[in-house]
Amino acid sequence: MSPQISQIAVVEQHSLVRLGLETLLSGSALLRVVALATDPAELPEADAQRLDVIVYGAPPQPGPSLAQTVAALTQCGRVLVVADFAGWQPVTDALRAGAYGCVGKQAGEQELLRAVETVALGGLHIAPGLATRLHHELRQPAGTPAPALAHREREALRLLATGLTHGQIARRMGLTEATVSTYVKRIRNKLNVRNKADLTRKAIELGLLQEDEFRSPALAGGFSPAGYSSAA
């Protein structure tokens, strides 16, 4: 008895990314890409039949609510959200809206294929790199909004959490050290933290660090990166 072929749709606004996803998924003997769309609204017109998986590449900036979009897509099939999940895109929002999986946009090819195949079979897939963030979100009181960090603040927090000094961050970002210090003060106030260990935890919870950065020497020793002092 031959294995069942799962019907896949890809919703992604960037043509090159959409083509890459189509090529990758079409390489699996268990998957068949039957619909491509640049926007979720196009999907019903592209394919009226029930789909096994909808791979949704969420845009990097706030637009229509992620939860609203996922909820609408679930009317056509199981949804796998591919997003950066940095700052404004809570993992729990996607899951509560009905998504069967969440994967970061930096996921490797095999990770993405496993996620799609798992969702196609009706399973739930959460990328390992999102597990800490999901655990943090589940511990928050219902209705607690995610901290709203600006793009440059998120980047500064990420670099700070990897162990860089304010001067090193300034050079990386093309800023003055005084500006970086201002960013750090704003970040502390927004996240309500007072030391660098807590800032590092927040960076991990917000999904700002990649999986390889979790294992870097800078993050060894219980969230006390090398070179950190007790005060920022």
Side-chain angles (χ1 to χ4, degrees), residues 14-177:
H14 297 293
S15 59
L16 287 177
V17 177
R18 191 168 59 251
L19 176 61
L21 288 170
E22 179 187 14
T23 301
L24 173 64
L25 299 176
S26 297
S28 171
L30 300 176
L31 309 174
R32 178 179 296 126
V33 178
V34 297
L36 296 171
T38 60
D39 185 85
E42 299 175 8
L43 193 57
E45 299 177 5
D47 195 277
Q49 65 178 324
R50 177 75 182 181
L51 298 159
D52 293 300
V53 183
I54 301 168
V55 179
Y56 173 49
Q61 68 281 341
S65 164
L66 176 65
Q68 291 176 346
T69 302
V70 169
L73 287 173
T74 59
Q75 303 304 308
C76 300
R78 303 184 191 100
V79 180
L80 172 67
V81 178
V82 182
D84 57 19
F85 290 106
W88 70 273
Q89 293 173 315
V91 179
T92 47
D93 279 7
L95 296 177
R96 288 181 178 126
Y100 274 70
C102 295
V103 176
K105 288 206 170 182
Q106 295 78 24
E109 294 181 358
Q110 293 305 311
E111 167 73 17
L112 183 59
L113 282 173
R114 282 196 303 271
V116 175
E117 291 171 358
T118 298
V119 172
L121 294 173
L124 180 69
H125 183 98
I126 304 298
L130 298 177
T132 301
R133 172 164 181 164
L134 176 60
H135 181 259
H136 168 72
E137 290 179 11
L138 291 173
R139 293 172 61 194
Q140 301 306 303
T144 300
L149 296 182
H151 174 74
R152 299 288 268 178
E153 292 171 342
R154 293 200 303 270
E155 179 63 10
L157 175 57
R158 186 185 71 82
L159 294 173
L160 189 69
T162 61
L164 298 185
T165 65
H166 288 199
Q168 291 170 326
I169 294 171
R171 289 191 290 274
R172 288 277 190 95
M173 298 180 66
L175 303 171
T176 66
E177 190 168 343

Side-chain angles (χ1 to χ4, degrees), residues 147-161 166 169 173 179-196 198-200 202-203 206 208 232:
L149 296 182
H151 174 74
R152 299 288 268 178
E153 292 171 342
R154 293 200 303 270
E155 179 63 10
L157 175 57
R158 186 185 71 82
L159 294 173
L160 189 69
H166 288 199
I169 294 171
M173 298 180 66
T179 299
V180 172
S181 296
T182 298
Y183 281 171
V184 173
K185 289 178 182 178
R186 289 177 183 171
I187 293 166
R188 282 175 160 184
N189 290 333
K190 288 183 177 182
L191 300 182
N192 193 29
V193 296
R194 291 295 175 264
N195 59 62
K196 288 191 174 180
D198 287 340
L199 281 171
T200 301
K202 286 294 185 180
L206 292 173
L208 300 180

